[in-house]
Amino acid sequence: MQQGEVQIFTGSPLGVLFLWHVFNFLALKKFNNLTEIQSEISAGALNCEALVKYYLKNIEQQKELNAFLEVYQEEALQEANRIDQKLKDGTAGRLAGMVVALKDVLCHEGHELSCSSKMLKGFQSQFTAPAVQRLLAEDAIVIGRVACDEFAMGSSNENSAFGPVRNAADLNKVPGGSSGGSAVAVQADCCLLSLGSDTGGSVRQPAAFTGTIGFKPTYSRISRYGLVAYASSFDTIGIISRSIEDNALVLEIIAGYEEQDSTVSRKEVPAYSTQLSEEGRVKKIGLIRETMESEGLNEEVKAKTLEKIDALKAQGHQVETVEFSLLDYILPTYYILTTAEASSNLSRYDGVKFGYRSPNGTDLESMYKKSRSEGFGEEVKRRIMLGTFVLSASYYDAYYTKAQKVRRLVKDQVDQLLSEFDFLLMPTTPTTAFAIGEHSEDPLEMYLADIYTVLANVCGLPAISIPNGEDKDGMPIGLQIVGGAFKEADLYAFSKKLLPA
Ligand code: GLN
């Protein structure tokens, strides 16, 4: 085109309209899944470099969210160029074009890892977690490290040593926690997918609060090596995404045996991403009565859950209300056992081997005490003390042993339900995202945010939170589906049908 032609083209009303559309398309474009991105790449309309720049711009323009602790600008661009070359050569991996963020509890060699705590400030990972390694091996690009509640303890992301993360739907509200940064990064279109960790709901609860999809697999499905331990018999790595397809593909890639984690399952990993459209038979779904009748359940969340149930029934599925008398015992069981495990796991941060060391110690013991007192935040200290208390000789049987027994009873009851039903269904959270500061004075109120999510962790089961509309203020609502052990494929396929096409 000659210069004159450009002038004629842009000068005509039609030309202006055309350019206006192109501009809007480029400015507003959001990628909803990897397939969209990869097909634009193969059509020559996009490359990884442009994609990374797009996300970097979104991160830069939304700094007030405080989701990223670190953005790997140069490294991500270098990786993008390397993968663009591989795409040209036809040697790119399955995740070429996927830009991800990592929760600040996952080891990534040569990168800082702080667990959003002052205790580990400046610490660098010495190796890469296999889950992260497998993403990188398939050419995913890590764009940054995202904030969380300190050592993954919390339900609002207010317990980070680096300030609260904000919900992109309303900056005065929390994004949920502990993987709040992971959820907001996806919600605000700062990456396509993120990894988080889920010990009692930390992937599903923030997903519900941000309108994203949060998946927690069966305990032991993904190696925990390189995931900083909070409560080892509950911890799982989880995946937050915009689409079921991406979530399933990533699980397929990161799950499976690996020799460093003695608890990881040796079960073969199904190709989840290719089993999404399997023609499902009619499903039997259990609706736990106590979850729908619980006192703290918000009316709008309840109404949306019931609407979904009506829709399921209309599709021919069987939904039955079931009793689950132990619901009230799950939270105390969870908080006794996880604090006990945490008090043991966190004993390694003593100011000697790595991380923060207080300059105020006068002898060995005061160095330990001061390093831990100054390095950890309030909530982490509360849990270490609670955990130490329930493990102490005089109270061990009254709390720890009893909670272990209740855990077994809960698991037996839930396994029984799942032998009769394909899935258990409930809201992910009793309310939508609450205001920053609303619950920070009252830990018990905060713990209630986990009332529906801890069940899956107490029993080691896979569970997903999918978006289920919004409340009258436009805050997202989540629906949770819990499946039988290692039934990830069924959960994905069923959830996909519940989401708008
Ligand atoms: N909110 C729960 C807790 O504080 C869950 C945390 C998590 O899953 N990491 O323990």
Side-chain angles (χ1 to χ4, degrees):
M1 211 186 266
Q2 304 278 306
Q3 212 184 348
E5 284 174 307
V6 174
Q7 270 166 11
I8 294 164
F9 183 66
T10 53
S12 76
L14 258 185
V16 171
L17 197 68
F18 173 77
L19 283 183
W20 187 78
H21 275 302
V22 170
F23 175 76
N24 268 341
F25 175 76
L26 289 177
L28 297 178
K29 175 114 190 148
K30 255 191 190 174
F31 296 105
N32 289 309
N33 55 56
L34 183 62
T35 313
E36 251 176 53
I37 292 174
Q38 288 181 339
S39 54
E40 293 218 7
I41 291 178
S42 15
L46 183 71
N47 62 18
C48 292
E49 187 187 344
L51 188 66
V52 166
K53 284 185 173 159
Y54 163 82
Y55 287 125
L56 287 172
K57 189 187 83 208
N58 284 355
I59 296 171
E60 180 61 32
Q61 288 176 348
Q62 301 178 90
K63 275 196 163 153
E64 69 281 7
L65 296 172
N66 201 27
F68 281 79
L69 290 177
E70 207 181 337
V71 181
Y72 307 138
Q73 179 156 343
E74 264 172 42
E75 187 186 345
L77 282 169
Q78 264 170 24
E79 274 300 284
N81 290 327
R82 190 180 66 81
I83 294 161
D84 279 334
Q85 189 55 48
K86 284 179 88 173
L87 282 158
K88 277 191 201 126
D89 300 344
T91 57
R94 283 190 290 170
L95 297 181
M98 180 176 275
V99 176
V100 303
L102 300 178
K103 181 174 179 178
D104 188 25
V105 289
L106 288 159
C107 293
H108 184 192
E109 192 177 347
H111 295 79
E112 260 191 49
L113 176 71
S114 77
C115 300
S116 294
S117 177
K118 197 177 150 193
M119 196 66 177
L120 273 177
K121 204 167 184 301
F123 175 77
Q124 283 208 349
S125 294
Q126 308 294 299
F127 64 92
T128 300
V132 175
Q133 190 54 53
R134 290 174 188 185
L135 286 184
L136 296 173
E138 289 292 350
D139 289 335
I141 297 171
V142 179
I143 199 155
R145 180 167 61 93
V146 278
C148 55
D149 281 302
E150 186 177 3
F151 283 98
M153 297 174 188
S155 312
S156 68
N157 232 293
E158 292 164 290
N159 299 338
S160 159
F162 308 105
V165 176
R166 291 169 189 276
N167 194 314
D170 179 342
L171 296 183
N172 295 316
K173 299 219 162 128
V174 303
S178 62
S179 314
S182 306
V184 169
V186 175
Q187 175 194 31
D189 203 24
C190 297
C191 59
L192 184 66
L193 178 142
S194 61
L195 291 189
S197 65
D198 192 312
T199 302
S202 277
V203 156
R204 290 159 288 149
Q205 189 250 17
F209 280 8
T210 56
T212 52
I213 296 169
F215 192 87
K216 171 223 174 286
T218 308
Y219 178 79
S220 82
R221 186 65 295 189
I222 303 174
S223 167
R224 287 182 294 114
Y225 188 58
L227 164 66
V228 175
Y230 157 18
S232 311
S233 76
F234 294 77
D235 293 342
T236 56
I237 289 176
I239 305 164
I240 297 181
S241 66
R242 308 176 86 86
S243 75
I244 295 282
E245 287 81 352
D246 291 349
N247 210 302
L249 178 63
V250 164
L251 182 64
E252 180 180 324
I253 287 169
I254 68 179
Y257 183 71
E258 172 281 319
E259 62 188 10
Q260 300 287 349
D261 173 0
S262 62
T263 61
V264 71
S265 171
R266 286 177 181 264
K267 260 185 199 292
E268 205 181 306
V269 180
Y272 305 114
S273 64
T274 62
Q275 298 174 13
L276 295 174
S277 53
E278 250 158 40
E279 236 350 272
R281 60 181 168 81
V282 165
K283 300 285 187 221
K284 269 190 85 180
I285 297 150
L287 177 68
I288 298 180
R289 180 194 304 283
E290 289 76 3
T291 62
M292 297 304 283
E293 286 174 0
S294 94
E295 225 178 83
L297 178 58
N298 164 290
E299 281 308 317
E300 289 181 85
V301 175
K302 183 173 180 174
K304 284 279 181 215
T305 310
L306 292 172
E307 263 175 43
K308 202 56 148 201
I309 287 161
D310 287 342
L312 282 170
K313 285 183 182 158
Q315 286 166 19
H317 296 294
Q318 280 176 33
V319 186
E320 252 177 60
T321 303
V322 294
E323 310 280 329
F324 181 63
S325 55
L326 296 175
L327 187 74
D328 283 347
Y329 297 94
I330 299 186
L331 264 188
T333 305
Y334 170 82
Y335 275 98
I336 289 171
L337 296 178
T338 53
T339 53
E341 293 186 23
S343 74
S344 158
N345 275 328
L346 272 63
S347 65
R348 71 191 65 164
Y349 308 106
D350 58 4
V352 177
K353 296 182 277 296
F354 46 80
Y356 177 78
R357 177 178 300 175
S358 168
N360 307 317
T362 47
D363 55 19
L364 183 65
E365 198 173 321
S366 76
M367 187 279 289
Y368 283 147
K369 279 188 184 158
K370 288 195 190 314
S371 298
R372 286 170 68 79
S373 304
E374 293 163 18
F376 289 130
E378 287 304 302
E379 182 61 25
V380 173
K381 282 191 265 195
R382 180 180 297 122
R383 295 198 190 195
I384 291 175
M385 285 191 279
L386 192 60
T388 310
F389 172 74
V390 300
L391 288 176
S392 61
S394 9
Y395 293 99
Y396 190 92
D397 281 341
Y399 293 104
Y400 185 73
T401 309
K402 197 177 232 169
Q404 289 286 31
K405 289 181 182 164
V406 179
R407 185 178 196 184
R408 168 46 67 97
L409 290 175
V410 169
K411 181 161 168 44
D412 287 350
Q413 220 182 80
V414 172
D415 284 349
Q416 176 60 33
L417 285 175
L418 283 166
S419 67
E420 295 162 36
F421 295 92
D422 295 294
F423 305 112
L424 299 175
L425 199 133
M426 65 203 87
T428 310
T429 51
T431 66
T432 52
F434 41 88
I436 292 180
E438 195 175 327
H439 294 326
S440 30
E441 294 309 311
D442 184 350
L444 279 184
E445 250 181 65
M446 188 73 89
Y447 296 170
L448 280 173
D450 308 325
I451 185 156
Y452 303 137
T453 46
V454 293
L455 174 83
N457 306 76
V458 167
C459 304
L461 298 170
I464 188 169
S465 176
I466 57 170
N468 188 24
E470 292 170 354
D471 69 8
K472 60 178 184 323
D473 299 324
M475 296 312 289
I477 293 174
L479 180 78
Q480 183 181 211
I481 312 157
V482 180
F486 297 100
K487 296 275 177 62
E488 281 81 3
D490 292 350
L491 261 184
Y492 279 132
F494 184 65
S495 307
K496 185 168 150 60
K497 287 217 184 90
L498 291 186
L499 287 170

